[in-house]
Amino acid sequence: GNGEGGGRLEGRLVGALDTVLDSNARVAPFRILLQVPGSQVYSPIACGATLEEINQHWDWLEQNLLHTLSVFDNKEDIASFVKGKVKALIAEETSSKLAEQEEEPEKFREALVKFEARFNFPEAEKLVTYYSCCCWKGRVPRQGWLYLSINHLCFYSFFLGKELKLVVPWVDIQKLERTSNVFLTDTIRVTTQNKERDFSMFLNLDEVFKIMEQLADVTLRRLLDNEVFDLDPDLQEPSQITKRDLEARAQKEFFRAFFRLPRKENLHAIVDCSLWTPFSRCHTVGRMFTSDSYICFASKEDGCCNVVLPLREVVSIEKMEDTSLLPNPIIVSIRSKMAFQFIELKDRDKLVESLLVRLKQVHANQPVRCDTSRNEDMVSCVFHSTSMCNDHKFGDLEMVSSQHSEESEKEKSPLLNPEALITIFQQSSPQSPDSRMSREQIKISLWNDHFVEYGRTVCMFRTEKIRKLVAMGIPEALRGKLWLLFSDAVTDLASHPGYYGNLVEESMGKPCPVTEEIERDLHRSLPEHPAFQNETGIAALRRVLTAYAHRNPKIGYCQSMNILTSALLLYAKEEEAFWLLVAVCERMLPDYFNHRVIGAQVDQSVFEELIKEHLPELAEHINDLSALASISLSWFLTLFLSIMPLESAVNVVDCFFYDGIKAIFRLGLAVLEANAGDLCSSKDDGQALMILSRFLDHIKNEESPGPSAGSHHAFFSDDQEPCPVTDIADLIRDSYEKFGDHSVEQIEHLRCKHRIRVLQGHEDTTKQNVLRVVIPEVSILPEDLEELYDLFKREHMLSCYWEQPSPVVQRHDPNRPYVEQYRIDSQQFTNLFKLVSPWTCGTHTETLAERTFRLLDDNMDHLIEFKGFVSCLDIMYNGEMNEKIKLLYRLHTPPALTENDRDSQSPLKSPLLSTSRPLVFGTSNGDAADYQKQLKQMIKDLAKEKDKTEKELPKMSQREFIQFCKTLYSMFHEDPEENHLYQAIATVTTLLLQIGEVGQRSSSSGSCSQEPGEDLQDPAPSPDQDSVFANTGSVPQGSPASPEEAAAGDWTVSLEHILASLLTEQSLVNFFEKPLEIKSKLENAKINQYSLKTFEMSRHSQAELKLSNL
């Protein structure tokens, strides 16, 4: 990009570039030429019809291109780079302007073919968009193409004979930011765990960055933030994402954040228009936003005028006559006899038609009963509330459910508090109550004047004037009602008559996971206020919190909700307080009150950045701003209610309900600025906490009609000098004047940026905790374990990218214990086994991996954790020979080896496994050893060993033994000592087959005592035991002629038999005891993990295709 107005300039530049390459075009009067010094050839780079135009082209080239040329060593490279860049810009301009796949399918299809060929992803990896750019490798820019797909950021370059491919999963990105390097003023920096990569020279950098930010945000939320995933249907269908969808999603997120509407509210249209504003007697330019249940308006000038019109309040939408003064006007009439005139609407007919359809749906779903008994002039449904100041009628301030429904609600739920608690527990001020009340009267008068001019329902005009009134502090008589209007909780209340009463009846007395926690916190909620020293207030608080926990079990109850709800109950009726809590938890502070308080952590991270921007000296002094963020976390979670006197903190809550989270950011910065000098001289975090706590504790509200609350903090010593008192109105005014320049759009952008950092921080914490558990239990080096963890997690992620999750595989659930957050199924384990296991057995590897998985799957849930995976690998790489043989042994007995094992039924008829084969241990001159004595001694020694083992392994049947031997043969394939190993294993196998027969005969003749719990079949006829060794050249009498017949009898060998036999062959001992290096396996695994997954998926898709053709 090249600054403001860049889109138009880039278009002209590329148009000029197109002309440069068009041989039929006439020569432009002004041109920019490229010449290599010493060469007679001039290459045209840009051209223009006017001097001004060519100067603009030159400025762009100077800003984006010329800085980079110094990094090249020779002139030819410079010329090649510049020409390549110019051609790429032309190609991009012609191929992608808005949404390539919809508007220019041929160009997009061509890019898609290149993307698939260059990166070899499965078909499920959907390309979203692509851009021409440069990727910096050190100090050298590589011109190429950036491909953005649903799961990956990819870059391809073929420049000066060198090919460069980069594949960065979005889920690995830890930071995405706009920055500058030595050569360019504007680049996009992508930071992963180990690398930073800079991309620059985009035709429209703003657009690219927004798309990248959206893709990173969507993917991280989908894969790492389980709680948000369930609430956002857009995240659940990644294969449907297009560039246009991402732009629409960004608009929808902004719309919901700006007007603080429910997450389920879908944006339908954004239309430029003007709204008649009677208070200024003119039309105000802005934009209309229409959604499922709302018509909203925001002026172009931030804060000038905003309007929220719930369709539930709308009576009619009509087109007016089109005139030169009022082009394309419509009138929206609401119940309180107000009308809103919008003009200059494009596609007016279509807009009105769609609005009328939705208006009809809303009224059909939410019928409104109107009550005009209180005020014949009003046709709105009204609240009948008893104002604290009886001189000021406030009955028609807002619309909600009718008197009839209220009365029936009281009949159904007689326990609910009919009034705000502050009207019941009114505290009298000992200091000049008359003057304080007179100030309250003046405020009420100002508000009543405002209502007359700007409207008194939820549909009021919201302007800078109302912000100033809110900053002064809302009168206590109006506070609860205005909180309902500003948060639009009034619409929820009106739309759900009887909902809260029913919820209370259902929830009270029923067990709930958070009941105990709620009970524990009830008496910690504003304990200084008499309302919560009384069972009336405590019971109301219990009902609201328990009802909300039943309404939203995903949140349930989170600490700090009790303090917030206590304040709401003071100023609003019980049912109103419930809906205010819903508005705060589900709309105004999204993701704050869940298991990991992700939303609050994101805002702390945003707050840190705002401190660096606005208070650089303080940020420089405090090296670790996260310490300040840990102090300020309670400011955000409780809206200052827990750390500021109540009469002052409610003024902060007033600002929050009108301005949203911006008010808390502003006030937090104002608090830090007021204490910046003391904080800069503080020695540690404890002293900083003391300074801020003292300051906040001495913030007073001189205009509060109630008494001042006592100090929150009892840890200040008497000998400390008194802290100066600060008035809350002054602090709020300072916060608006000094820090009020951040728009909702900027805050949402910062949230998006820092959400990546916070989610990745949680991932790092999970990783470190898992490694801390695993490291003491294995011999694999910590750095190799870290690589293994990354491979394990990536294998889980690859299946999330491209496969429909099997019923067994659960999504990543951050609420689970750390070691259980990532688990893999059998197929994923098999892929990893092929990549990192040292026991590669050719085609037999997959079978061995499946058996290993069954062995590790202790709880039979068909999933294994990282700890089990690593413990198995540790034995393979670092175990002693007996541990490795024991693992192999267990892999060939149940549960690892099953009756249905795909390889276990194949008979093995190799002559190498014949019991008639003579046993030769390398004796010379044909002198055969006395094998009978050797075997008897071996069995005695093993019997002694058996007593020492903690848990005896089951004996291996001949069928299992055959599979064991097959695995050993497969493991030796392609080993340098392959021939020696085959010979050795043939010798050992024959010995073990004969040992099994000896044991079979011994047990049948009763010469060996039966082991406890050993289940013997009917013994076979028992020949003379010595005859096994009598003639080594013939089949012993009564022995089976083949392994298949032996399997029918009770032929068994034990682990001890196998281990002792293997120890007789030095080549086998060497094989199992040779040191193994895992690092080379890990390096290859990182390179091949993607290709193995792609191959596996293509193989499965081919198999499915064959089945479908049958």
Side-chain angles (χ1 to χ4, degrees), residues 53-303:
E53 186 179 349
I54 203 69
N55 280 335
Q56 287 180 321
H57 295 337
W58 176 257
D59 290 341
W60 191 94
L61 291 167
E62 192 174 44
Q63 183 181 356
N64 290 277
L65 208 62
L66 298 187
H67 296 291
T68 65
L69 302 183
S70 60
V71 303
F72 293 101
D73 297 328
N74 59 65
K75 305 160 188 174
E76 288 73 22
D77 287 353
I78 292 176
S80 176
F81 174 76
V82 173
K83 289 176 184 175
K85 184 66 193 172
V86 170
K87 288 178 181 177
L89 288 173
I90 295 169
E92 182 183 355
E93 176 70 15
T94 55
S95 65
S96 57
K97 195 62 185 171
L98 288 171
E100 306 89 357
Q101 57 270 58
E102 289 91 349
E103 300 196 357
E104 295 196 56
E106 287 302 319
K107 292 286 184 183
F108 187 80
R109 197 173 298 119
E110 184 182 326
L112 181 60
V113 169
K114 289 181 180 177
F115 170 71
E116 290 173 346
R118 287 166 176 172
F119 298 100
N120 194 32
F121 284 127
E123 193 177 335
E125 185 65 15
K126 186 176 186 299
L127 178 64
V128 177
T129 188
Y130 61 101
Y131 298 97
S132 163
C133 70
C134 285
C135 175
W136 289 78
K137 195 168 183 181
R139 297 181 53 176
V140 179
R142 301 289 298 267
Q143 171 61 39
W145 290 91
L146 182 70
Y147 297 92
L148 306 180
S149 65
I150 55 174
N151 296 303
H152 299 87
L153 177 155
C154 305
F155 178 80
Y156 179 85
S157 170
F158 189 82
F159 182 60
L160 302 178
K162 293 180 181 177
E163 186 178 57
L164 173 67
K165 288 184 186 179
L166 291 177
V167 176
V168 182
W170 293 114
V171 79
D172 286 355
I173 291 175
Q174 297 188 331
K175 197 186 291 183
L176 191 64
E177 57 190 339
R178 291 179 65 164
T179 182
S180 58
N181 63 19
V182 181
F183 309 103
L184 285 179
T185 55
D186 212 358
T187 65
I188 296 175
R189 176 165 294 168
V190 177
T191 305
T192 56
Q193 188 175 3
N194 303 315
K195 287 187 180 178
E196 286 182 347
R197 294 182 177 88
D198 287 346
F199 298 90
S200 64
M201 299 194 198
F202 293 97
L203 202 57
N204 187 343
L205 189 136
D206 289 334
E207 176 195 296
V208 179
F209 186 71
K210 285 178 182 176
I211 294 293
M212 289 172 72
E213 201 172 47
Q214 279 288 309
L215 273 169
D217 186 54
V218 165
T219 309
L220 283 166
R221 287 191 185 202
R222 174 166 56 91
L223 297 175
L224 301 183
D225 195 358
N226 209 42
E227 291 157 318
V228 173
F229 175 86
D230 293 332
L231 298 172
D232 194 340
D234 295 346
L235 300 179
Q236 296 168 25
E237 285 295 334
S239 61
Q240 303 303 314
I241 292 175
T242 65
K243 182 180 170 186
R244 185 168 287 172
D245 290 336
L246 290 171
E247 291 166 347
R249 183 178 183 274
Q251 288 180 331
K252 184 165 68 173
E253 292 275 327
F254 166 75
F255 162 69
R256 292 191 298 213
F258 188 88
F259 296 104
R260 300 190 294 281
L261 299 179
R263 199 191 290 263
K264 64 183 180 182
E265 199 65 26
N266 291 306
L267 179 63
H268 291 281
I270 302 176
V271 185
D272 288 332
C273 65
S274 295
L275 171 67
W276 174 254
T277 46
F279 51 88
S280 61
R281 289 180 168 74
C282 68
H283 282 91
T284 300
V285 178
R287 291 188 298 174
M288 175 193 285
F289 300 79
T290 66
S291 68
D292 296 338
S293 308
Y294 291 87
I295 300 171
C296 302
F297 174 84
S299 59
K300 284 284 174 68
E301 185 184 340
D302 191 34

Side-chain angles (χ1 to χ4, degrees), residues 369-384:
R369 300 192 201 99
C370 290
D371 172 32
T372 57
S373 60
R374 288 285 305 273
N375 189 343
E376 293 180 1
D377 296 333
M378 302 293 290
V379 293
S380 66
C381 300
V382 296
F383 240 137
H384 307 303

Side-chain angles (χ1 to χ4, degrees), residues 214 598 717 720 988:
Q214 279 288 309
I598 291 288
S717 57
Q720 282 182 309
V988 169

